[in-house]
Amino acid sequence: MIDYSPFLSTAARTMAPSAIRAMGALAAGRRDVISFAPGYPAPSVFPWEALREIASELLTGADGAVLQYGATRGLRRLLEALVTVMAERSVQASIDELMIVSGSQQALDLTGRILCDPGDVILVELPTYVGAITAFRGSRAHLVGVRQEPDGVDLDDLVEVLTRERSAGRTVRALYVVPNFQNPTGLLISLEKRRRLLELAAQHDLLIIEDDPYGELYFEDVTTRAETRPLKADDAEGRVVYLSTFSKTLAPGFRTAWITAPAPIIEKLEIAKQSADLCTGGLDQHMVYESWRRGVLSSIAPSLRAHYRRKRDVMERTLRAELGDRASWPAPRGGFFLWISLPEGLDATRMLPRAIEQRVLYVIGSAFFVDGGGSNTLRLSFSHPPESEIEEGTRRLCETIRTEIAPGRTATDAVR
Amino acid sequence: MIDYSPFLSTAARTMAPSAIRAMGALAAGRRDVISFAPGYPAPSVFPWEALREIASELLTGADGAVLQYGATRGLRRLLEALVTVMAERSVQASIDELMIVSGSQQALDLTGRILCDPGDVILVELPTYVGAITAFRGSRAHLVGVRQEPDGVDLDDLVEVLTRERSAGRTVRALYVVPNFQNPTGLLISLEKRRRLLELAAQHDLLIIEDDPYGELYFEDVTTRAETRPLKADDAEGRVVYLSTFSKTLAPGFRTAWITAPAPIIEKLEIAKQSADLCTGGLDQHMVYESWRRGVLSSIAPSLRAHYRRKRDVMERTLRAELGDRASWPAPRGGFFLWISLPEGLDATRMLPRAIEQRVLYVIGSAFFVDGGGSNTLRLSFSHPPESEIEEGTRRLCETIRTEIAPGRTATDAVR
């Protein structure tokens, strides 16, 4: 066979499979592994019966558009619905500030493409969502990390990093944040910090990419809807590119997400999407639209919040009972994730084969750090497995961690 | 509002809406326009009843994977089905030489990304598919045109162009071709030329990107299945990246297409896809798989061939009756398109507003040329409108053309 490397682009030559993928390969073929690795929603809470009815009504052939190519910007009536969805999130967006994409990953990819030339800087949190790292690096952006505090991105560090990068002559385009129940840490950026973040963006002429897949999934015992108010809601200057999705509130199989951004940005994103995949799936968009129109989305939201909250309870309760103070984590106030810091010196990557022997899987925290840090951290998703498996899997993990810890050691600071 | 241009990448700053889109805008709001512009399949031939039944069985909730995130490379059982589909096209492909993508446009985009650094050359035909132009330019590739003959790409010109580009120090990665019923010309590359094309690729160390959306849609009065044999079938060296799709044989709303390529290329494409959109839609892939498994795809194929052939008949018959020798076109032997050359000196772009006044729409041929040529050409899609509209719309177009032509003028060579 011929050697393909001379045919590959610079980007392709440096492409490597993700750590999460490598993890999957490690566990492949093992039986009875309980996986806290993928951030999948629980299929048991998908509204199957309603969706089945909707599909049956859509596929009569009365409306050919259901299975036809569609507009790149998205199905018009779904865009109109999104104006309402955004208004419910306190964001006033017009139709020309909206675009539907084939999942949030595409939103990240397209945003990277229209903002970044090779070497341009995007600032991300330490840690940050691994899919954003992949997408922005795909545009050959240079990612620079900003530290986190318990209420999200550290603004002093943000200014310091920004100033340092610009002094070094680099073009800093944007800061990427997941303010609500961040993947991977579960952290919520405080309202006060959101306000200051917008001020800093104006002051330092920075765009903000606000990724909000989990905002609807706040846990009502510890968080109010008001605390999830998007940065975009107070974006007077038009500095925020806001991304959200139906993957966590309806089902990810539909690959339907959206972007709310200033109209000139949407125009560029639309051209980029036309080149990337022409349009988002017709059946998917019609299914999502009908789910919204019939009130399926709004009627299941409270039960989703309750469902994931119960799962968090099981995981946290088990962790506390089994580990005591031998590890620490910020209490998840919503979303899918629990972020564990092991005592300094422990290495989640080295521990992984032993966890797999115990038949439990997690994602190594270092996959979420662009600066090589996080070796003593790991991400657990409590969203997908049923409660009984969460309890059993967490026990197995705690057993692994206990074995790993030298006697007398205690946990480091939760957020590092 | 702030000025966003300083935030945009080089690619984004030069992005412009496509000519086809501009055309749509021109016609928007006009009533009774018969459109031969978009290359859409006819929704009347989608197997609605079968699809409705399949959806109803898939959405019971028994298999959560239907609406879950899936593997980046695609649904395993659909990949296995594709091994069979490819074998029926005389291509022996193993699972690790296959990947499912979210429509052929994504295949073009990902291929451009893994093969091209900015300025690298991809060779395309004059004319070529506009979506390929968009996708490859999105990777900032430099597109260089190769002339066509009545049996497809001109091989002498190919060697000349290739030699010239390489002498100028440019990196030429690949040649992009649509051998079966090319979009936009409808041309079929002869079997003899396919053989020589593979030889030339080996001799000049070139990859071939073979795009085959229309191969199944040959018109049995003038073309045999054997004449659509993919280049990939005889690709002993592994130089062909083959793309195909279910958009024209099932429905485009499913956004499900595939790539067959050497395993090392698929590995890179998979990583690129993970960054682009994580995975193709779950419901879509399951629907397509079930359509294949239940024989829906194979059972509708003959009626699709007959359907589009009848539409071609109506369009050609009307054109001949109304225009005589005042324009020329290669007889479509399959696919969706008819490619008209007007007498030299006539300009399809200048004629367009008058066509719209006559309430008929086409795509200007120059949109398919990377060298600025083709001003006297235009593309008609006979695939989407019903036969009665094809007849009426073609009459309107012929009226427009007759008015445009100075008395006594005759057509130029069909393929230019």
Side-chain angles (χ1 to χ4, degrees):
Chain A
M1 197 191 273
I2 53 181
D3 173 18
Y4 294 98
S5 50
F7 290 101
L8 297 175
S9 64
T10 308
R13 274 195 294 266
T14 59
M15 277 172 185
S18 79
I20 294 181
R21 176 171 303 270
M23 229 152 290
L26 256 180
R30 304 285 308 209
R31 281 160 172 267
D32 302 325
V33 168
I34 294 176
S35 180
F36 299 132
Y40 287 8
S44 63
V45 293
F46 298 162
W48 293 99
E49 191 48 44
L51 293 171
R52 193 168 173 234
E53 201 178 299
I54 289 169
S56 177
E57 292 177 32
L58 285 172
L59 292 171
T60 58
D63 181 4
V66 170
L67 293 180
Q68 190 56 274
Y69 291 105
T72 301
R73 208 175 271 218
L75 180 67
R76 178 77 192 189
R77 72 194 85 151
L78 182 54
L79 287 166
E80 286 164 355
L82 287 170
V83 171
T84 305
V85 169
M86 291 308 297
E88 287 162 1
R89 297 184 186 182
S90 311
V91 177
Q92 304 308 315
S94 61
I95 281 276
D96 62 345
E97 294 169 326
L98 282 161
M99 183 170 93
I100 292 162
V101 286
S102 309
S104 275
Q105 186 66 32
Q106 183 177 58
L108 295 167
D109 175 57
L110 298 179
T111 305
R113 290 207 223 186
I114 69 149
L115 297 183
C116 296
D117 283 315
D120 287 350
V121 171
I122 293 189
L123 304 175
V124 298
E125 289 174 275
L126 293 168
T128 192
Y129 171 50
V130 71
I133 297 176
T134 313
F136 298 149
R137 285 200 175 141
S139 303
R140 300 182 55 203
H142 178 56
L143 302 187
V144 179
V146 178
R147 280 200 300 268
Q148 268 184 348
E149 298 174 307
D151 66 343
V153 54
D154 180 333
L155 298 184
D156 295 335
D157 197 46
L158 171 63
V159 173
E160 202 176 305
V161 169
L162 181 59
T163 309
R164 189 187 66 214
E165 290 299 316
R166 286 191 171 156
S167 303
R170 280 188 279 272
T171 303
V172 183
R173 299 288 190 186
L175 166 71
Y176 170 77
V177 280
V178 186
N180 294 325
F181 322 120
Q182 196 217 23
N183 181 354
T185 60
L187 291 184
L188 185 71
I189 299 183
S190 67
L191 289 176
E192 164 60 14
K193 186 170 270 186
R194 292 177 196 223
R195 199 186 50 71
R196 285 170 53 215
L197 190 49
L198 284 168
E199 282 170 14
L200 284 177
Q203 205 176 320
H204 295 273
D205 198 20
L206 196 65
L207 297 186
I208 296 175
I209 304 166
E210 177 180 27
D211 193 0
D212 187 19
Y214 310 105
E216 297 288 300
L217 302 176
Y218 52 92
F219 300 149
E220 295 170 275
D221 56 341
V222 285
T223 310
T224 64
R225 171 177 287 279
E227 289 176 279
T228 68
R229 182 181 176 90
L231 289 159
K232 186 71 189 164
D234 303 298
D235 175 31
E237 283 198 321
R239 294 197 172 273
V240 179
V241 176
Y242 176 90
L243 324 177
S244 192
T245 176
F246 294 102
S247 288
K248 278 77 185 182
T249 51
L250 189 62
F254 293 123
R255 311 312 298 127
T256 305
W258 73 93
I259 308 178
T260 306
I265 297 281
I266 291 287
E267 280 166 30
K268 294 297 183 183
L269 289 168
E270 182 183 15
I271 300 172
K273 178 171 168 63
Q274 196 182 12
S275 160
D277 73 350
L278 291 182
C279 62
T280 293
L283 181 59
D284 286 1
Q285 291 187 80
H286 282 84
M287 294 282 292
V288 169
Y289 170 72
E290 283 298 323
S291 301
W292 175 82
R293 190 182 68 80
R294 297 170 190 214
V296 177
L297 273 160
S298 56
S299 76
I300 62 170
S303 61
L304 296 183
R305 291 191 271 271
H307 177 90
Y308 294 117
R309 176 183 157 186
R310 275 197 308 274
K311 288 183 165 178
R312 173 212 59 180
D313 288 346
V314 174
M315 183 171 272
E316 269 208 289
R317 192 193 317 128
T318 313
L319 281 170
R320 264 196 305 267
E322 302 270 328
L323 282 185
D325 66 351
R326 279 173 282 194
S328 68
W329 58 90
R333 298 174 59 182
F336 283 5
F337 305 108
L338 193 146
W339 178 251
I340 291 191
S341 292
L342 302 170
E344 285 292 351
L346 255 60
D347 186 312
T349 306
R350 280 204 310 268
M351 189 174 79
L352 189 62
R354 290 186 277 274
I356 294 171
E357 269 168 42
Q358 294 281 351
R359 292 163 299 131
V360 63
L361 200 61
Y362 56 81
V363 181
I364 54 170
S366 56
F368 304 92
F369 284 82
V370 296
D371 68 347
S375 62
N376 69 320
T377 59
L378 56 97
R379 188 193 77 175
L380 303 179
S381 305
F382 49 79
S383 50
H384 185 258
E387 290 176 36
S388 59
E389 283 191 20
I390 293 176
E391 192 170 342
E392 173 59 25
T394 307
R395 278 215 195 92
R396 293 176 186 173
L397 177 70
C398 292
E399 172 61 27
T400 312
I401 292 174
R402 280 194 310 259
T403 311
E404 203 79 1
I405 294 178
R409 260 186 142 152
T410 59
T412 53
D413 179 42
V415 192
R416 56 156 287 147
Chain B
M1 197 192 273
I2 53 180
D3 172 17
Y4 295 98
S5 49
F7 290 100
L8 298 175
S9 64
T10 308
R13 274 196 294 266
T14 58
M15 277 172 184
S18 78
I20 295 182
R21 177 172 301 268
M23 228 153 290
L26 257 180
R30 304 285 308 210
R31 282 160 169 269
D32 302 327
V33 168
I34 294 176
S35 180
F36 299 133
Y40 287 6
S44 63
V45 293
F46 299 162
W48 294 98
E49 191 48 42
L51 293 171
R52 194 167 171 233
E53 201 177 297
I54 288 169
S56 177
E57 290 176 34
L58 285 172
L59 293 171
T60 58
D63 180 5
V66 170
L67 292 180
Q68 191 56 276
Y69 291 104
T72 301
R73 208 175 269 218
L75 181 66
R76 178 78 191 189
R77 73 194 86 153
L78 182 55
L79 287 166
E80 286 164 356
L82 286 170
V83 172
T84 305
V85 169
M86 290 308 299
E88 287 162 0
R89 298 183 186 182
S90 311
V91 178
Q92 305 307 316
S94 61
I95 281 274
D96 63 344
E97 294 170 324
L98 281 161
M99 184 170 91
I100 292 162
V101 286
S102 308
S104 274
Q105 186 67 32
Q106 183 177 59
L108 293 167
D109 177 57
L110 298 179
T111 304
R113 289 206 224 187
I114 70 148
L115 296 184
C116 295
D117 283 316
D120 286 351
V121 170
I122 293 189
L123 304 174
V124 297
E125 290 175 274
L126 294 168
T128 192
Y129 171 51
V130 71
I133 297 177
T134 313
F136 298 148
R137 285 200 176 142
S139 303
R140 299 181 57 204
H142 178 57
L143 301 186
V144 178
V146 178
R147 281 201 298 269
Q148 267 184 347
E149 297 173 308
D151 66 343
V153 56
D154 180 333
L155 298 184
D156 294 335
D157 197 47
L158 171 63
V159 173
E160 202 176 304
V161 169
L162 182 60
T163 309
R164 189 187 68 213
E165 291 299 315
R166 285 190 172 156
S167 303
R170 279 187 281 269
T171 304
V172 182
R173 299 289 190 185
L175 166 71
Y176 170 77
V177 281
V178 187
N180 294 325
F181 322 119
Q182 195 217 24
N183 181 354
T185 60
L187 292 183
L188 185 71
I189 299 184
S190 68
L191 289 176
E192 165 60 14
K193 188 170 270 188
R194 292 178 196 224
R195 198 186 51 72
R196 286 171 52 218
L197 190 50
L198 285 168
E199 282 171 13
L200 283 177
Q203 204 175 319
H204 294 274
D205 198 20
L206 196 65
L207 297 186
I208 296 175
I209 304 165
E210 178 179 28
D211 192 0
D212 187 19
Y214 310 106
E216 296 288 300
L217 302 175
Y218 51 93
F219 300 149
E220 294 169 275
D221 55 341
V222 284
T223 310
T224 64
R225 172 177 286 279
E227 289 176 279
T228 67
R229 181 180 175 90
L231 289 159
K232 186 70 188 163
D234 303 298
D235 176 30
E237 283 199 319
R239 295 199 171 271
V240 179
V241 176
Y242 175 90
L243 324 178
S244 193
T245 175
F246 295 103
S247 288
K248 277 75 183 181
T249 51
L250 190 61
F254 292 122
R255 311 311 298 125
T256 305
W258 72 94
I259 308 178
T260 306
I265 297 280
I266 292 287
E267 279 165 30
K268 293 298 182 182
L269 288 168
E270 182 183 17
I271 300 172
K273 178 171 169 64
Q274 197 183 11
S275 160
D277 72 351
L278 291 181
C279 62
T280 293
L283 181 59
D284 286 0
Q285 290 186 80
H286 281 84
M287 295 282 294
V288 169
Y289 170 73
E290 284 297 323
S291 301
W292 174 83
R293 190 182 67 81
R294 296 170 190 214
V296 176
L297 273 160
S298 56
S299 76
I300 63 170
S303 62
L304 296 183
R305 291 191 271 271
H307 177 91
Y308 294 117
R309 174 181 160 190
R310 276 196 308 275
K311 287 183 164 177
R312 172 210 60 179
D313 288 345
V314 173
M315 184 172 271
E316 268 208 288
R317 191 192 318 130
T318 313
L319 281 170
R320 264 196 304 268
E322 301 269 329
L323 283 185
D325 66 350
R326 278 172 284 194
S328 68
W329 59 91
R333 298 173 58 183
F336 282 6
F337 305 108
L338 192 146
W339 178 251
I340 291 191
S341 292
L342 302 170
E344 283 294 349
L346 255 59
D347 187 309
T349 306
R350 279 205 310 269
M351 189 174 81
L352 189 62
R354 290 186 278 275
I356 294 171
E357 269 167 43
Q358 295 280 350
R359 291 163 299 131
V360 63
L361 200 60
Y362 56 81
V363 181
I364 53 171
S366 56
F368 304 92
F369 283 82
V370 296
D371 69 347
S375 61
N376 68 321
T377 59
L378 56 97
R379 188 193 77 176
L380 302 179
S381 304
F382 49 78
S383 50
H384 184 260
E387 290 176 36
S388 58
E389 282 192 19
I390 293 176
E391 189 169 344
E392 172 58 25
T394 306
R395 279 214 194 93
R396 292 176 188 174
L397 177 70
C398 292
E399 170 62 26
T400 312
I401 293 175
R402 280 195 309 259
T403 311
E404 204 79 2
I405 293 179
R409 261 185 142 150
T410 58
T412 51
D413 178 43
V415 193
R416 58 155 286 148

